[in-house]
Amino acid sequence: MDKQAVLDVLNSLEVIESNGGDDAYILVANDEETRAKLNAVGVSSETIQRYGDDETFCILALAFGEGYADEYRDGKLVLWGPIDDELRSRVSNGEGTPSDAERLLKELDCFSSLRDPVRWFAWEMEKTLRQNKGGWESYSLGYLITRLAKEVRELEEQVARAQFTAEDRERTVRESTDVANIAMMIADKVQHEKGNQLVACRFNENEYCPECSPEE
């Protein structure tokens, strides 16, 4: 799906009502013409309906909830993309734009505000993911649920037999990280996969699901 094409449509819609602050919303008409425009760029009517009612829907909630945008600036929904090594390199080498630098600073500020145990554990999760490599987009939901139960059992067994030596503590952290990563994969799939794909693969215990594939 072309996310920028979706944003172009969302940004072109006539706003009926809006509100800022903590309870921000931007409402547009939920009519046949609007749905047709969004359907044409890959947004289903089912998705639209999740963010409103029969009369209006919130484009702000839709854009952020479905991952089409990561900022609302100067009256427009904007997709900056991931903060990755390429962006960090541009900024550190002095080749980045002011927007690049601002995005990186915001990310760092957000990360620094996390509790120390959360920040530490998030890094443990990321280290494990990097070691294993590969993504999880094609895993079936049923397989991930089965895998989660298995990882929980392994954690329970580890805690039950541990004497909490240095080696035991390290192994317990590793097992805890495995549980957390599988739970994260489930949450990520539920957040981003289409409803019909999730329904199709929630009871599929095969590792890979033909209904699930990485987004183009």
Side-chain angles (χ1 to χ4, degrees), residues 183-202:
M184 177 277 294
M185 293 174 191
I186 293 170
D188 183 61
K189 285 189 72 69
V190 171
Q191 176 73 3
H192 295 107
E193 290 284 1
K194 294 180 180 178
N196 61 333
Q197 292 175 333
L198 294 171
V199 169
C201 75
R202 62 182 167 184

Side-chain angles (χ1 to χ4, degrees), residues 8-210:
D8 289 342
V9 173
L10 291 175
N11 285 324
S12 72
L13 299 176
E14 182 179 353
V15 175
I16 296 175
E17 184 181 338
S18 63
N19 185 51
D22 293 336
D23 299 317
Y25 60 82
I26 304 173
L27 301 181
V28 301
N30 186 0
D31 54 28
E32 186 174 346
E33 180 182 356
T34 298
R35 289 192 298 273
K37 289 179 180 179
L38 286 169
N39 293 164
V41 291
V43 182
S44 68
S45 297
E46 178 189 64
T47 298
I48 295 169
Q49 200 65 30
R50 284 204 297 266
Y51 297 96
D53 52 33
D54 291 337
E55 296 183 355
T56 63
F57 68 95
C58 179
I59 61 172
L60 194 63
L62 187 153
F64 282 91
E66 299 298 318
Y68 300 135
D70 44 34
E71 189 172 357
Y72 183 73
R73 170 177 289 198
D74 299 328
K76 297 290 184 182
L77 293 159
V78 180
L79 176 66
W80 294 114
I83 294 179
D84 52 19
D85 290 341
E86 181 182 347
L87 184 145
R88 296 185 183 94
S89 177
R90 286 203 308 270
V91 173
S92 63
N93 292 334
E95 300 169 354
T97 66
S99 294
D100 287 338
E102 183 180 356
R103 287 171 59 213
L104 191 57
L105 286 171
K106 282 183 178 180
E107 184 75 5
L108 291 171
D109 181 62
C110 177
F111 193 69
S112 66
S113 68
L114 295 176
R115 292 175 173 86
D116 287 343
V118 176
R119 188 164 58 247
W120 162 76
F121 194 59
W123 178 236
E124 292 299 318
M125 292 173 64
E126 176 62 24
K127 284 193 295 185
T128 299
L129 290 171
R130 290 186 183 187
Q131 289 169 1
N132 295 333
K133 299 182 180 180
W136 52 88
E137 295 88 348
S138 295
Y139 287 162
S140 73
L141 189 57
Y143 166 76
L144 289 173
I145 292 294
T146 301
R147 178 76 180 277
L148 178 62
K150 175 179 178 290
E151 297 294 350
V152 169
R153 286 195 300 272
E154 290 180 1
L155 175 59
E156 290 174 338
E157 292 169 1
Q158 167 59 27
V159 172
R161 64 173 176 260
Q163 297 301 311
F164 297 105
T165 61
E167 183 180 349
D168 280 334
R169 291 173 190 271
E170 182 179 346
R171 186 177 293 115
T172 302
V173 169
R174 188 164 61 248
E175 295 293 352
S176 300
T177 301
D178 289 342
V179 170
N181 275 330
I182 298 298
M184 177 277 294
M185 293 174 191
I186 293 170
D188 183 61
K189 285 189 72 69
V190 171
Q191 176 73 3
H192 295 107
E193 290 284 1
K194 294 180 180 178
N196 61 333
Q197 292 175 333
L198 294 171
V199 169
C201 75
R202 62 182 167 184
F203 299 122
N204 179 2
E205 294 186 8
N206 294 323
E207 183 171 357
Y208 297 106
C209 176

